[in-house]
Amino acid sequence: MNAQFKKGVLELIVLESVRQRDMYGYELVEEVSKVVDVNEGTIYPLLKRLTNEHYFETYLRESTEGPPRKYYHLTAAGVLYRDSLEEEWNELTEKVGSFLKESQHG
Amino acid sequence: MDKKTFIRELKQALSVLQEEELDDIVSEYEQHIDMKQASGLTEEEAIADFGSLNKLAADILEAYHVRADYAAAREGQESSLGEHRRRKVFAKTKEICARFGNLLGAGMRKMCGWVKNSWHGTKRFLAGSIRWMSGLLPDKTGEKCREATEGISQAGEKADGRKRRGRTAGNQEKGGLQTGMFERTGKLMGRIILFCCEMSLWMIGILWNGICIVGVLCCSLFGGCCLFGLGILAVLLLQGYPLAGVTLACLGVAISSFSAAWLGMTLLWRRKNPEETEKPVSGNDKPSRPLMGSGQNDEFGQNKEDGYGKMEARQHA
């Protein structure tokens, strides 16, 4: 898949994943990897940025194995942002889809 | 690449970040590698999944709104940056010092000139007043001098006649002596006043010289101490202590104390030179102050001759 496509949609996938349930970094990377094949290293900076922009909250929770894990939780602002992103995505796919269909038939 | 190397290199690449943030993001990667290992992958495989470290670091920095090339450039220049900064500070300090020095130099030159002028002015005034004071009597002395010299020349011719007339002219001589006594005491008073004035002037000169020398010594000593302090402060400043202000202040004090010492030196030095050049000029018409002792003798000698000559002149008349 085109890297630019992936990069653009990655944010929406991460937001949606965290909206379903709070996750820690590695878990989230695995979740996202199921949807799009992405360099795992690039997800952490994205999480960081979304946290800095207050779309995520983080908290630590003890784990049975290894050190405590940092969990990500979607904030109200994050929910709004996710919704706006979804809208944009739908609009884009709709427009691009219809454009492609038109050019195919025309 | 093993985990330790990866973490170390990642930390280095992200060194522009705050330590807290750096530790936070790096711990995520550490944990990620650990979990990958737990799921059966090796360290190397887990790290290889991240791709290029530089690309990764750039992505992370982008999330922090930091330009990756800035971080890279900073990393490259890190060693030379400190030196560059130091050089910049040096250049700036030099410039400031030069400007300050020029300003101070101009000020000092002006002040030096002013002090010199005022000193010469007071000297001239004092000398003038003394000349005026002594001029009241020596004016007559000058005339008498001429009379005396004339008298001597005439007396030389009529030496024999004078011996013979010596006794007969006794009465005339008595009257002459009385007026001569008055004039002589007046002249003596004048001489004493002149002598006192000259002595006081001389004392003032010595005192002034002493003050100048002591001032110069104190200033240069203080300046040396300041320079020493400045050296210590400069070393501390280069070691990273926030002492720029104190160092500058110390530099300023050192420069000003040296300048003050230099001012004193020029006052001492320039005061001596004009006197040396003035001596032959003033020595022709009147005995100048430094020749006071010998001048006094001359004058006393003249005085005696003068009185004698006058008497002779009277005799002759």
Side-chain angles (χ1 to χ4, degrees), chain A residues 39 41 44 48 70 72, chain B residues 24 28-29 32 36 50 64:
Chain A
N39 179 354
Y44 292 108
K48 195 80 213 172
K70 188 158 82 175
Y72 291 87
Chain B
D24 186 51
E28 290 271 32
Y29 285 96
H32 183 95
K36 279 274 176 188
F50 291 133
Y64 283 101

Side-chain angles (χ1 to χ4, degrees), chain B residues 29-103:
Chain B
Y29 285 96
E30 234 175 325
Q31 229 172 27
H32 183 95
I33 294 165
D34 287 343
M35 286 183 172
K36 279 274 176 188
Q37 271 182 295
S39 70
L41 284 167
T42 63
E43 258 182 34
E44 278 74 20
E45 282 173 324
I47 290 161
D49 279 348
F50 291 133
S52 153
L53 193 137
N54 287 338
K55 176 80 175 53
L56 183 68
D59 280 343
I60 296 168
L61 290 175
E62 199 187 342
Y64 283 101
H65 304 291
V66 174
R67 267 169 50 207
D69 56 346
Y70 168 74
R74 189 179 172 276
E75 197 187 323
Q77 287 175 355
E78 194 144 27
S79 54
S80 64
L81 199 70
E83 209 179 309
H84 179 69
R85 240 183 234 164
R86 237 169 264 164
R87 252 185 232 162
K88 222 174 167 184
V89 167
F90 268 131
K92 241 184 189 175
T93 318
K94 218 170 133 189
E95 196 191 311
I96 288 166
C97 284
R99 236 185 254 171
F100 189 67
N102 279 345
L103 216 88

Side-chain angles (χ1 to χ4, degrees), chain B residues 154-169:
Chain B
Q154 285 171 352
E157 288 168 21
K158 308 205 171 181
D160 299 333
R162 193 181 61 195
K163 269 183 187 173
R164 265 178 270 142
R165 281 186 209 174
R167 282 173 200 170
T168 50

Side-chain angles (χ1 to χ4, degrees), chain A:
Chain A
M1 204 195 286
N2 187 309
Q4 295 300 316
F5 283 179
K6 282 192 274 189
K7 212 176 180 180
V9 84
L10 197 61
E11 212 169 279
L12 181 58
I13 297 168
V14 167
L15 284 164
E16 175 56 23
S17 302
V18 176
R19 192 184 68 83
Q20 289 163 6
R21 63 184 173 91
D22 292 358
M23 288 188 201
Y24 60 90
Y26 184 72
E27 204 181 359
L28 196 58
V29 170
E30 283 196 318
E31 192 73 22
V32 173
S33 296
K34 281 181 204 163
V35 187
V36 285
D37 181 31
V38 70
N39 179 354
E40 291 167 350
T42 57
I43 292 174
Y44 292 108
L46 178 66
L47 291 176
K48 195 80 213 172
R49 184 163 62 77
L50 290 171
T51 309
N52 286 347
E53 286 167 7
H54 305 290
Y55 298 133
F56 284 153
E57 276 172 351
T58 62
Y59 58 92
L60 289 174
R61 188 186 282 173
E62 294 295 330
S63 74
T64 48
E65 55 212 71
R69 288 161 180 167
K70 188 158 82 175
Y71 277 80
Y72 291 87
H73 170 77
L74 198 68
T75 62
V79 173
L80 287 175
Y81 183 56
R82 192 213 75 88
D83 290 347
S84 73
L85 273 185
E86 192 188 9
E87 233 169 81
E88 279 173 31
W89 172 255
N90 287 336
E91 203 183 312
L92 183 74
T93 48
E94 205 176 294
K95 274 188 179 170
V96 172
S98 63
F99 171 73
L100 289 175
K101 260 182 204 169
E102 268 175 39
S103 58
Q104 260 179 2
H105 293 294

Side-chain angles (χ1 to χ4, degrees), chain B residues 265-284:
Chain B
M265 282 296 286
T266 47
L267 278 179
L268 274 174
W269 185 69
R270 283 191 191 179
R271 244 169 45 68
K272 272 173 190 166
N273 263 3
E275 275 179 11
E276 277 169 12
T277 51
E278 270 172 26
K279 239 185 250 174
V281 181
S282 59
N284 283 340

